[in-house]
Amino acid sequence: MLGWVIYNGHLNSKKFIEFGQWIKFAAQTHKIDIELVKNNDCYSVMDLDGPVVLHSYFSELPDFVVFLDKDIALAKQFQSIGVRVFNSPEAIDVCDNKITMYQRLSEQNIAIPKTIIAPKTFFKPQNIEWKSFIRIGSILNYPLIIKEAYGSYGDQVYLIQDEKELKKKIEELVHIPLLFQEYISENIGKDRRIYVVGDKVIGAIERISEKDFRANVELGSTVTAHVPSEKEIELSIRATKAVGASFAGIDLLTNEKGEPIVCEVNTNAHIKNIYDCTGENVAEHLISFIVNDIEKNPKN
Ligand SMILES: Nc1ncnc2c1ncn2[C@@H]1O[C@H](COP(=O)(O)OP(=O)(O)O)[C@@H](O)[C@H]1O
Ligand SMILES: [Mg+2]
């Protein structure tokens, strides 16, 4: 079997290449060849003969693709020509946009912080209807969180202390899809990331920041191994299923009752931290899952 690991050629991130190399290494045990492939070396072409994917150097298409990128159009193109894609393009699509991700989780009755979607605006609105944003502030109370729908590494997540800060942020971001969220103050700068492959939890880490309300490692938090509770395990597996992912890193917060709630589902969570903290190699679990899935449903 041949698999491609797709990563983004325009991102200067060694992490995805490293993730791909771990997958390549894990696949050797199963006698599977893996090529690390940049999304921008693949061309999604459509004409009267239907869709194809052309590659700059390779003529042979893979049996499956591990998609570590968010080039959803390319993921869908692979799917439409019959190449299996892990995670599925639908799961990547749902989670790429935090608005659709929370909608999906909420539809499945999965505990999340209270979330309100910003009303749609067009680029550079002539007048901002302040009262609708102020009303959102009074429903959620301050401090509250604003998140851009598209964002990662904590960079597009903002803590808003009062109405003045709310107005300032809205003026800056009004043309971008946004959501507003209750601030879960029980765990300032702390969250837990649970790694799921298929219907199993592989391991978990706790991330703690001393200097920021966001627990992202990229913003300087420290990471330790975490033994997930039964509730955390059950919730993380349900969240993974709700978005249709085969593998995911689920960020959990803890509410005032001490119950876990889902902050985010990541469809391409990096795997080095969990390996360093727990010795669990997510790539090995993922390759076993893929082999098993293809054997079970050879024609999918
Ligand atoms: N509602 C919230 N209450 C408290 N902290 C939050 C909330 N939402 C996010 N955070 C903190 O901000 C971090 C980043 O938020 P997240 O939604 O996971 O965005 P990103 O995709 O950028 O990681 C989380 O890991 C958590 O520490
Ligand atoms: Mg996150």
Side-chain angles (χ1 to χ4, degrees):
M1 255 197 302
L2 173 67
W4 284 2
V5 173
I6 302 286
Y7 68 100
N8 196 295
H10 289 101
L11 262 187
N12 214 351
S13 171
K14 286 197 192 114
K15 287 182 181 170
F16 289 111
I17 296 176
E18 189 179 40
F19 193 163
Q21 280 161 344
W22 287 34
I23 290 173
K24 190 179 171 91
F25 193 68
Q28 285 171 0
T29 336
H30 296 271
K31 304 211 168 9
I32 297 172
D33 287 329
I34 296 282
E35 294 287 354
L36 270 63
V37 172
K38 291 179 186 168
N39 72 318
N40 53 301
D41 281 332
C42 301
Y43 301 94
S44 301
V45 182
M46 290 149 284
D47 63 12
L48 266 181
D49 296 328
V52 290
V53 175
L54 301 177
H55 190 272
S56 298
Y57 317 111
F58 304 126
S59 50
E60 190 193 352
L61 279 174
D63 300 292
F64 67 89
V65 161
V66 180
F67 215 85
L68 301 185
D69 190 34
K70 296 191 175 177
D71 187 340
I72 292 152
L74 176 61
K76 288 187 174 165
Q77 187 89 355
F78 276 117
Q79 189 180 51
S80 69
I81 61 167
V83 175
R84 301 267 274 261
V85 187
F86 301 91
N87 276 309
S88 72
E90 293 74 22
I92 298 171
D93 202 3
V94 165
C95 294
D96 186 34
N97 178 340
K98 288 187 168 67
I99 294 174
T100 51
M101 178 197 72
Y102 286 119
Q103 282 180 319
R104 183 64 65 86
L105 295 173
S106 166
E107 277 161 20
Q108 305 281 330
N109 298 104
I110 288 171
I112 56 172
K114 191 181 191 86
T115 300
I116 301 179
I117 303 168
K120 181 171 173 65
T121 52
F122 292 96
F123 192 64
K124 293 200 176 152
Q126 276 131 9
N127 64 312
I128 298 179
E129 292 265 328
W130 285 114
K131 65 176 185 327
S132 57
F133 293 106
I134 289 165
R135 174 102 181 92
I136 291 174
S138 64
I139 297 172
L140 293 176
N141 295 320
Y142 295 94
L144 57 78
I145 298 268
I146 295 182
K147 295 184 187 181
E148 296 181 31
Y150 299 97
S152 37
Y153 307 137
D155 284 344
Q156 290 77 19
V157 176
Y158 312 98
L159 181 59
I160 303 296
Q161 296 293 351
D162 52 33
E163 207 172 287
K164 197 169 154 228
E165 286 189 18
L166 179 91
K167 281 189 165 174
K168 194 162 168 264
K169 201 43 94 184
I170 296 297
E171 261 163 2
E172 235 175 80
L173 302 176
V174 70
H175 56 288
I176 291 174
L178 298 175
L179 62 85
F180 299 80
Q181 196 165 69
E182 160 195 14
Y183 179 51
I184 307 297
S185 56
E186 280 67 27
N187 23 218
I188 301 169
K190 175 171 133 180
D191 74 2
R192 286 162 182 174
R193 174 165 286 183
I194 317 292
Y195 287 81
V196 178
V197 178
D199 54 8
K200 279 200 209 87
V201 165
I202 304 307
I205 52 177
E206 184 165 77
R207 310 185 295 181
I208 299 181
S209 173
E210 299 295 339
K211 49 178 195 259
D212 200 291
F213 74 97
R214 297 159 296 182
N216 302 71
V217 174
E218 295 77 9
L219 297 174
S221 66
T222 49
V223 187
T224 50
H226 169 67
V227 179
S229 68
E230 277 307 313
K231 279 189 179 163
E232 288 174 333
I233 290 174
E234 191 239 2
L235 183 65
S236 302
I237 293 170
R238 279 179 58 220
T240 306
K241 286 211 169 96
V243 301
S246 308
F247 62 102
I250 315 291
D251 295 348
L252 299 180
L253 301 170
T254 311
N255 70 10
E256 76 285 357
K257 293 185 204 136
E259 308 266 343
I261 57 176
V262 176
C263 174
E264 191 186 19
V265 180
N266 295 279
T267 52
N268 58 0
H270 299 304
I271 60 174
K272 187 171 180 302
N273 286 327
I274 180 138
Y275 179 75
D276 289 345
C277 291
T278 70
E280 283 296 342
N281 183 344
V282 175
E284 283 172 5
H285 292 275
L286 180 56
I287 281 293
S288 301
F289 172 85
I290 291 172
V291 169
N292 195 22
D293 195 67
I294 292 177
E295 276 171 5
K296 257 193 344 216
N297 316 293
K299 289 226 168 77
N300 241 5

